[in-house]
PDB file of all heavy atoms in Angstrom:
ATOM      1  N   ASN D 274      16.072  28.775  49.327  1.00  0.00           N
ATOM      2  CA  ASN D 274      16.252  28.144  50.643  1.00  0.00           C
ATOM      3  C   ASN D 274      15.207  27.077  50.935  1.00  0.00           C
ATOM      4  O   ASN D 274      15.209  26.488  52.021  1.00  0.00           O
ATOM      5  CB  ASN D 274      16.219  29.211  51.742  1.00  0.00           C
ATOM      6  CG  ASN D 274      17.378  30.191  51.637  1.00  0.00           C
ATOM      7  OD1 ASN D 274      18.476  29.808  51.225  1.00  0.00           O
ATOM      8  ND2 ASN D 274      17.128  31.452  51.975  1.00  0.00           N
ATOM      9  N   HIS D 275      14.308  26.868  49.972  1.00  0.00           N
ATOM     10  CA  HIS D 275      13.254  25.859  50.167  1.00  0.00           C
ATOM     11  C   HIS D 275      13.210  24.910  48.972  1.00  0.00           C
ATOM     12  O   HIS D 275      12.159  24.503  48.511  1.00  0.00           O
ATOM     13  CB  HIS D 275      11.891  26.541  50.337  1.00  0.00           C
ATOM     14  CG  HIS D 275      11.835  27.512  51.467  1.00  0.00           C
ATOM     15  ND1 HIS D 275      12.251  28.819  51.355  1.00  0.00           N
ATOM     16  CD2 HIS D 275      11.441  27.356  52.761  1.00  0.00           C
ATOM     17  CE1 HIS D 275      12.093  29.450  52.510  1.00  0.00           C
ATOM     18  NE2 HIS D 275      11.605  28.569  53.389  1.00  0.00           N
ATOM     19  N   VAL D 276      14.396  24.573  48.465  1.00  0.00           N
ATOM     20  CA  VAL D 276      14.482  23.766  47.257  1.00  0.00           C
ATOM     21  C   VAL D 276      13.893  22.372  47.456  1.00  0.00           C
ATOM     22  O   VAL D 276      13.288  21.809  46.532  1.00  0.00           O
ATOM     23  CB  VAL D 276      15.951  23.671  46.783  1.00  0.00           C
ATOM     24  CG1 VAL D 276      16.821  22.970  47.818  1.00  0.00           C
ATOM     25  CG2 VAL D 276      16.044  22.962  45.431  1.00  0.00           C
ATOM     26  N   THR D 277      14.025  21.803  48.656  1.00  0.00           N
ATOM     27  CA  THR D 277      13.465  20.475  48.915  1.00  0.00           C
ATOM     28  C   THR D 277      11.948  20.494  48.797  1.00  0.00           C
ATOM     29  O   THR D 277      11.340  19.586  48.218  1.00  0.00           O
ATOM     30  CB  THR D 277      13.873  19.971  50.306  1.00  0.00           C
ATOM     31  OG1 THR D 277      15.299  19.944  50.395  1.00  0.00           O
ATOM     32  CG2 THR D 277      13.324  18.568  50.549  1.00  0.00           C
ATOM     33  N   ALA D 278      11.334  21.545  49.332  1.00  0.00           N
ATOM     34  CA  ALA D 278       9.876  21.676  49.242  1.00  0.00           C
ATOM     35  C   ALA D 278       9.442  21.828  47.791  1.00  0.00           C
ATOM     36  O   ALA D 278       8.441  21.238  47.351  1.00  0.00           O
ATOM     37  CB  ALA D 278       9.413  22.870  50.065  1.00  0.00           C
ATOM     38  N   PHE D 279      10.204  22.597  47.018  1.00  0.00           N
ATOM     39  CA  PHE D 279       9.898  22.796  45.606  1.00  0.00           C
ATOM     40  C   PHE D 279      10.008  21.495  44.834  1.00  0.00           C
ATOM     41  O   PHE D 279       9.129  21.132  44.049  1.00  0.00           O
ATOM     42  CB  PHE D 279      10.862  23.847  45.041  1.00  0.00           C
ATOM     43  CG  PHE D 279      10.606  24.220  43.605  1.00  0.00           C
ATOM     44  CD1 PHE D 279       9.317  24.310  43.100  1.00  0.00           C
ATOM     45  CD2 PHE D 279      11.669  24.506  42.743  1.00  0.00           C
ATOM     46  CE1 PHE D 279       9.076  24.674  41.775  1.00  0.00           C
ATOM     47  CE2 PHE D 279      11.446  24.862  41.423  1.00  0.00           C
ATOM     48  CZ  PHE D 279      10.150  24.943  40.936  1.00  0.00           C
ATOM     49  N   ALA D 280      11.072  20.749  45.065  1.00  0.00           N
ATOM     50  CA  ALA D 280      11.329  19.518  44.324  1.00  0.00           C
ATOM     51  C   ALA D 280      10.354  18.398  44.664  1.00  0.00           C
ATOM     52  O   ALA D 280      10.157  17.483  43.862  1.00  0.00           O
ATOM     53  CB  ALA D 280      12.758  19.056  44.577  1.00  0.00           C
ATOM     54  N   SER D 281       9.751  18.466  45.848  1.00  0.00           N
ATOM     55  CA  SER D 281       8.871  17.373  46.282  1.00  0.00           C
ATOM     56  C   SER D 281       7.388  17.705  46.153  1.00  0.00           C
ATOM     57  O   SER D 281       6.541  16.839  46.389  1.00  0.00           O
ATOM     58  CB  SER D 281       9.180  17.000  47.735  1.00  0.00           C
ATOM     59  OG  SER D 281       8.963  18.107  48.598  1.00  0.00           O
ATOM     60  N   ASP D 282       7.060  18.931  45.784  1.00  0.00           N
ATOM     61  CA  ASP D 282       5.658  19.345  45.685  1.00  0.00           C
ATOM     62  C   ASP D 282       5.083  18.900  44.350  1.00  0.00           C
ATOM     63  O   ASP D 282       5.473  19.397  43.287  1.00  0.00           O
ATOM     64  CB  ASP D 282       5.553  20.866  45.828  1.00  0.00           C
ATOM     65  CG  ASP D 282       4.125  21.338  46.067  1.00  0.00           C
ATOM     66  OD1 ASP D 282       3.194  20.693  45.544  1.00  0.00           O
ATOM     67  OD2 ASP D 282       3.950  22.340  46.788  1.00  0.00           O
ATOM     68  N   GLN D 283       4.129  17.967  44.387  1.00  0.00           N
ATOM     69  CA  GLN D 283       3.559  17.428  43.155  1.00  0.00           C
ATOM     70  C   GLN D 283       2.529  18.356  42.521  1.00  0.00           C
ATOM     71  O   GLN D 283       2.084  18.116  41.392  1.00  0.00           O
ATOM     72  CB  GLN D 283       2.935  16.060  43.431  1.00  0.00           C
ATOM     73  CG  GLN D 283       3.953  15.024  43.891  1.00  0.00           C
ATOM     74  CD  GLN D 283       3.366  13.630  43.990  1.00  0.00           C
ATOM     75  OE1 GLN D 283       2.477  13.268  43.223  1.00  0.00           O
ATOM     76  NE2 GLN D 283       3.867  12.834  44.911  1.00  0.00           N
ATOM     77  N   ALA D 284       2.123  19.389  43.239  1.00  0.00           N
ATOM     78  CA  ALA D 284       1.202  20.391  42.690  1.00  0.00           C
ATOM     79  C   ALA D 284       1.729  21.776  43.042  1.00  0.00           C
ATOM     80  O   ALA D 284       1.095  22.541  43.770  1.00  0.00           O
ATOM     81  CB  ALA D 284      -0.198  20.183  43.241  1.00  0.00           C
ATOM     82  N   PRO D 285       2.915  22.134  42.512  1.00  0.00           N
ATOM     83  CA  PRO D 285       3.553  23.388  42.916  1.00  0.00           C
ATOM     84  C   PRO D 285       2.743  24.628  42.610  1.00  0.00           C
ATOM     85  O   PRO D 285       2.753  25.590  43.381  1.00  0.00           O
ATOM     86  CB  PRO D 285       4.880  23.372  42.139  1.00  0.00           C
ATOM     87  CG  PRO D 285       4.637  22.458  40.982  1.00  0.00           C
ATOM     88  CD  PRO D 285       3.718  21.414  41.504  1.00  0.00           C
ATOM     89  N   TRP D 286       2.015  24.620  41.499  1.00  0.00           N
ATOM     90  CA  TRP D 286       1.258  25.815  41.145  1.00  0.00           C
ATOM     91  C   TRP D 286       0.039  26.006  42.038  1.00  0.00           C
ATOM     92  O   TRP D 286      -0.382  27.146  42.286  1.00  0.00           O
ATOM     93  CB  TRP D 286       0.870  25.787  39.672  1.00  0.00           C
ATOM     94  CG  TRP D 286       2.057  26.057  38.810  1.00  0.00           C
ATOM     95  CD1 TRP D 286       2.859  25.139  38.192  1.00  0.00           C
ATOM     96  CD2 TRP D 286       2.624  27.331  38.510  1.00  0.00           C
ATOM     97  NE1 TRP D 286       3.885  25.754  37.520  1.00  0.00           N
ATOM     98  CE2 TRP D 286       3.772  27.101  37.696  1.00  0.00           C
ATOM     99  CE3 TRP D 286       2.282  28.639  38.838  1.00  0.00           C
ATOM    100  CZ2 TRP D 286       4.561  28.141  37.215  1.00  0.00           C
ATOM    101  CZ3 TRP D 286       3.067  29.677  38.359  1.00  0.00           C
ATOM    102  CH2 TRP D 286       4.192  29.432  37.563  1.00  0.00           C
ATOM    103  N   SER D 287      -0.529  24.922  42.532  1.00  0.00           N
ATOM    104  CA  SER D 287      -1.621  25.039  43.504  1.00  0.00           C
ATOM    105  C   SER D 287      -1.090  25.631  44.805  1.00  0.00           C
ATOM    106  O   SER D 287      -1.725  26.497  45.422  1.00  0.00           O
ATOM    107  CB  SER D 287      -2.258  23.673  43.760  1.00  0.00           C
ATOM    108  OG  SER D 287      -2.919  23.198  42.609  1.00  0.00           O
ATOM    109  N   THR D 288       0.085  25.151  45.230  1.00  0.00           N
ATOM    110  CA  THR D 288       0.711  25.677  46.443  1.00  0.00           C
ATOM    111  C   THR D 288       1.004  27.165  46.288  1.00  0.00           C
ATOM    112  O   THR D 288       0.721  27.974  47.187  1.00  0.00           O
ATOM    113  CB  THR D 288       2.016  24.922  46.740  1.00  0.00           C
ATOM    114  OG1 THR D 288       1.727  23.539  46.913  1.00  0.00           O
ATOM    115  CG2 THR D 288       2.692  25.468  47.990  1.00  0.00           C
ATOM    116  N   LEU D 289       1.565  27.546  45.146  1.00  0.00           N
ATOM    117  CA  LEU D 289       1.880  28.950  44.901  1.00  0.00           C
ATOM    118  C   LEU D 289       0.614  29.802  44.827  1.00  0.00           C
ATOM    119  O   LEU D 289       0.583  30.934  45.334  1.00  0.00           O
ATOM    120  CB  LEU D 289       2.658  29.085  43.593  1.00  0.00           C
ATOM    121  CG  LEU D 289       4.086  28.526  43.596  1.00  0.00           C
ATOM    122  CD1 LEU D 289       4.637  28.463  42.172  1.00  0.00           C
ATOM    123  CD2 LEU D 289       5.001  29.371  44.483  1.00  0.00           C
ATOM    124  N   ALA D 290      -0.434  29.256  44.207  1.00  0.00           N
ATOM    125  CA  ALA D 290      -1.688  30.001  44.085  1.00  0.00           C
ATOM    126  C   ALA D 290      -2.284  30.298  45.455  1.00  0.00           C
ATOM    127  O   ALA D 290      -2.744  31.412  45.729  1.00  0.00           O
ATOM    128  CB  ALA D 290      -2.679  29.219  43.227  1.00  0.00           C
TER     129      ALA D 290
END
Side-chain angles (χ1 to χ4, degrees):
N274 296 327
H275 302 84
V276 63
T277 302
F279 184 37
S281 61
D282 194 327
Q283 297 187 33
W286 286 97
S287 293
T288 300
L289 291 168

